[in-house]
Amino acid sequence: MLLVATVLLVGAIVGCRKGEESKPVRPKPPAVTVDRENPEQTIFEQLRSGAFQIAGVGGTVEEALTKSRALDVKGDPQLAAAMGEFLDALDSVGATLAEHTTEPAEPAKSDPEFAKMDERRLSAISAANDALHELEDASGILDTLSQDPALANRPEVAEILGLLRLGMDDLQEAIRSLGGVVEQVAAS
């Protein structure tokens, strides 16, 4: 039994590393430097950088959805229902982020424009934190489902979990780029 557990653990580690090697290299936007003399430029750069990263997360979530929909679990009604819940969770992430992928065209030129741009930035931080928690929940659902014999040895599941981890990492980076703080889920 210990040998089987060790083999599975080593296989999982090798599978994770294999998935890491095939991760696409994503361009990183330039770091945002706070300019106290020109806050309009700072907010513009934060919003531009965050929107760029959030758009990348949207692509990652879409790829995870496509791979998840390709998993054939129709033969098991309970597993199919649980996968439906997982797919709904991923759809929710996309919906949460959809309004925050547009980069601003230029810095604000007036106080009302500045206030509106800063409100967009704060809204994007809130949405990214919400989406991060939704992705964590979705990852937990899939991790639990991966214990089912129908999914246990499917390499696609590891790929999807890798995409979810990538999305979570990118969301954390987007939140920081927007000038926000990554919210931790309170333990219940």
Side-chain angles (χ1 to χ4, degrees):
M1 183 68 178
L2 181 59
L3 178 60
V4 172
T6 304
V7 169
L8 289 175
L9 179 62
V10 170
I13 291 170
V14 170
C16 288
R17 286 193 177 150
K18 192 177 198 179
E20 287 175 8
E21 292 170 4
S22 65
K23 275 196 301 192
V25 176
R26 298 185 190 269
K28 292 212 180 232
V32 176
T33 304
V34 177
D35 181 358
R36 298 197 189 284
E37 298 296 317
N38 189 356
E40 295 85 3
Q41 185 66 32
T42 299
I43 296 297
F44 168 75
E45 290 296 330
Q46 287 176 326
L47 192 54
R48 183 184 64 80
S49 179
F52 174 85
Q53 291 167 317
I54 288 172
V57 172
T60 300
V61 169
E62 188 59 39
E63 186 178 348
L65 269 168
T66 300
K67 288 181 180 286
S68 298
R69 287 184 181 126
L71 291 172
D72 183 20
V73 295
K74 293 177 182 89
D76 183 341
Q78 285 183 318
L79 183 57
M83 278 300 291
E85 186 179 317
F86 168 71
L87 292 171
D88 289 346
L90 283 184
D91 276 335
S92 179
V93 171
T96 299
L97 295 174
E99 295 178 28
H100 305 283
T101 59
T102 304
E103 296 180 34
E106 61 186 3
K109 296 185 188 311
S110 66
D111 287 345
E113 284 181 19
F114 178 78
K116 191 181 269 187
M117 191 172 281
D118 194 40
E119 189 59 39
R120 270 183 65 194
R121 181 184 69 84
L122 294 172
S123 178
I125 292 168
S126 178
N129 269 305
D130 289 347
L132 176 61
H133 301 311
E134 291 171 350
L135 263 182
E136 289 168 345
D137 291 345
S139 181
I141 291 169
L142 185 58
D143 192 46
T144 299
L145 293 177
S146 71
Q147 306 306 311
D148 187 283
L151 297 177
N153 296 318
R154 304 276 302 268
E156 305 96 301
V157 173
E159 291 172 16
I160 296 165
L161 285 168
L163 288 169
L164 298 181
R165 279 190 296 276
L166 175 64
M168 289 183 278
D169 291 344
D170 288 350
L171 275 173
Q172 290 177 2
E173 186 63 32
I175 292 165
R176 287 188 283 274
S177 292
L178 287 160
V181 176
V182 175
E183 296 172 358
Q184 302 301 318
V185 176
S188 33

